[in-house]
Amino acid sequence: MEWLLYVSLAIIAVAFAVLVYYLIQTLLSMKKTVENVSATVEGLQKQVDGLTKESEQLLHKTNRLTDDLQYKSDSLNSVFNAAKDLGDSFQTMNRSVKNMSNTVSQKADENSEQVANAVKWGNVMLEFWTKWKAKKDAKQSTESFQSDSNNV
């Protein structure tokens, strides 16, 4: 029976050796995997550092662009305010012209009969003056014709 104990111990020793061998193989495989993961993490860290630097540069450029846009927007505000003031001035002027036009139109309607009479009398006076001038010119031309005939 003793030999059974030795055989059992031998089987246990062989099993333990096989277990240790596979455990070592597993640990070596895990070591390679961990090294690959470590290399991948280092590569990712470098990429993240590069992205961080680029993001910071992009953020600085964006801030400068925002500041520039704000400055230009503030500069344009004065132009828009001036345009608004000009529009308000035109609107006030248009109201004044409209009010004046309405007043003139109302006064013209009120005095239209007097204006018609004045135009009528003006036309009569113009015709009278034209006829008088024509007679005067005709009289002077006949007098000058007679004096020229007498001198001959």
Side-chain angles (χ1 to χ4, degrees):
M1 271 232 193
E2 221 177 277
W3 63 273
L4 192 61
L5 183 65
Y6 289 122
V7 171
S8 295
L9 281 174
I11 292 175
I12 292 173
V14 169
F16 185 72
V18 170
L19 178 67
V20 168
Y21 174 77
Y22 281 111
L23 187 61
I24 288 172
Q25 291 299 320
T26 303
L27 289 175
L28 288 175
S29 177
M30 282 182 62
K31 179 182 176 186
K32 288 180 182 178
T33 303
V34 168
E35 287 173 354
N36 286 338
V37 168
S38 177
T40 302
V41 167
E42 286 179 18
L44 286 175
Q45 183 63 37
K46 289 177 183 177
Q47 288 179 355
V48 167
D49 289 343
L51 286 175
T52 302
K53 288 178 184 177
E54 288 179 18
S55 296
E56 286 177 3
Q57 291 174 351
L58 182 61
L59 184 62
H60 291 303
K61 287 180 182 179
T62 303
N63 287 338
R64 284 195 306 266
L65 181 61
T66 302
D67 291 341
D68 186 43
L69 285 174
Q70 183 65 39
Y71 172 75
K72 289 177 180 176
S73 175
D74 291 342
S75 298
L76 283 176
N77 282 342
S78 62
V79 172
F80 288 125
N81 288 337
K84 182 187 178 296
D85 291 343
L86 183 63
D88 291 344
S89 297
F90 277 129
Q91 193 173 21
T92 303
M93 186 180 72
N94 283 341
R95 271 193 233 112
S96 297
V97 168
K98 185 177 178 181
N99 288 340
M100 187 173 65
S101 175
N102 288 339
T103 303
V104 167
S105 177
Q106 185 180 10
K107 292 294 181 182
D109 288 344
E110 290 174 3
N111 298 326
S112 63
E113 187 176 324
Q114 292 174 353
V115 169
N117 285 335
V119 169
K120 183 174 153 184
W121 283 106
N123 285 337
V124 168
M125 293 300 289
L126 187 61
E127 284 181 38
F128 178 72
W129 182 77
T130 306
K131 287 179 183 179
W132 177 78
K133 179 107 173 136
K135 279 185 182 182
K136 182 179 176 185
D137 289 342
K139 185 177 183 182
Q140 283 180 354
S141 66
T142 54
E143 286 177 1
S144 71
F145 180 70
Q146 287 177 356
S147 71
D148 286 340
S149 320
N150 288 340
N151 288 337
V152 177

